[in-house]
Amino acid sequence: MGKARKPIQIVILFLILLLGGYAIGTSVFGGDGKPHEGSKAPSFELLGLDGLTHTLDEYKGQPVVLNFWGSWCGPCVKEMPALQAQYEKWKDEGVVVVGVNVGEDQMTVENFVKLVDINFPVIMDTGRDAVRSYGVSPLPTTFFIDGKGKVDSIHIGQLDLDSLEAQIGKLVDP
């Protein structure tokens, strides 16, 4: 009976070493899969307030401002007028502002959008799939994605009108 356990113990030890090596390797070499400046922006498939499913690919060739927010988040609420103003300013240049609501139901999101009077596209990440693939924490977090689908810059925290305009200007005139 002791001899039969030995091969099983060796296999278990090998698996533990393999998983440990993988965990250490990904933490040391940054293999967490989260986007960083210069990397390709992860794709998503999320339901919009318009009732349609939206993906990042539908904005291919256009600069995208991807803003993760929640209606309960004070800084998110404060930056909405700046996002709306820049959307209005840059939409004729092909810039797309997309708001990604994190974890709230459709009625809450619709009421908030009406209350703050925004009309840029809003999609809902109810299952937090995009939050995980983008590594978002905390809210608000904004990704500036160039027309080739690469992350130009990432802004964590509230954006003001001037910094938002400067970031979008870099996307339009690199």
Side-chain angles (χ1 to χ4, degrees), residues 83-105:
L83 286 163
Q84 179 62 35
Q86 292 303 315
Y87 169 69
E88 292 294 333
K89 178 177 181 172
W90 294 98
K91 68 181 178 181
D92 292 337
E93 303 279 332
V95 176
V96 181
V97 175
V98 179
V100 182
N101 176 268
V102 178
E104 295 182 285
D105 63 83

Side-chain angles (χ1 to χ4, degrees), residues 2-167:
K3 288 185 178 184
R5 285 188 182 174
K6 191 123 180 140
I8 293 172
Q9 290 172 339
I10 291 172
V11 168
I12 291 172
L13 180 62
F14 176 73
L15 288 173
I16 290 171
L17 290 173
L18 185 66
L19 288 173
Y22 173 77
I24 291 169
T26 55
S27 69
V28 169
F29 298 111
D32 58 3
K34 295 174 187 170
H36 51 82
E37 292 179 6
S39 71
K40 185 170 174 19
S43 187
F44 56 77
E45 192 171 306
L46 299 172
L47 183 65
L49 287 182
D50 59 4
L52 302 173
T53 299
H54 294 275
T55 66
L56 184 61
D57 291 340
E58 72 188 68
Y59 306 114
K60 196 172 197 154
Q62 298 174 277
V64 177
V65 178
L66 192 64
N67 176 261
F68 288 83
W69 62 275
S71 66
W72 47 266
C73 160
C76 301
V77 175
K78 288 178 185 170
E79 76 180 359
M80 284 296 160
L83 286 163
Q84 179 62 35
Q86 292 303 315
Y87 169 69
E88 292 294 333
K89 178 177 181 172
W90 294 98
K91 68 181 178 181
D92 292 337
E93 303 279 332
V95 176
V96 181
V97 175
V98 179
V100 182
N101 176 268
V102 178
E104 295 182 285
D105 63 83
Q106 186 167 347
M107 185 178 288
T108 301
V109 177
E110 285 173 346
N111 288 338
F112 177 79
V113 165
K114 285 177 190 166
L115 180 70
V116 296
D117 196 28
I118 56 174
N119 62 11
F120 54 81
V122 174
I123 56 180
M124 297 171 294
D125 189 13
T126 53
R128 299 178 185 256
D129 297 326
V131 165
R132 279 189 290 281
S133 63
Y134 277 81
V136 173
S137 180
L139 294 180
T141 296
T142 306
F143 290 81
F144 295 89
I145 303 167
D146 68 20
K148 296 175 185 164
K150 301 242 187 242
V151 176
D152 182 72
S153 63
I154 303 167
H155 183 91
I156 298 171
Q158 182 181 334
L159 283 160
D160 61 40
L161 195 61
D162 293 335
S163 61
L164 187 55
E165 184 167 3
Q167 291 289 347

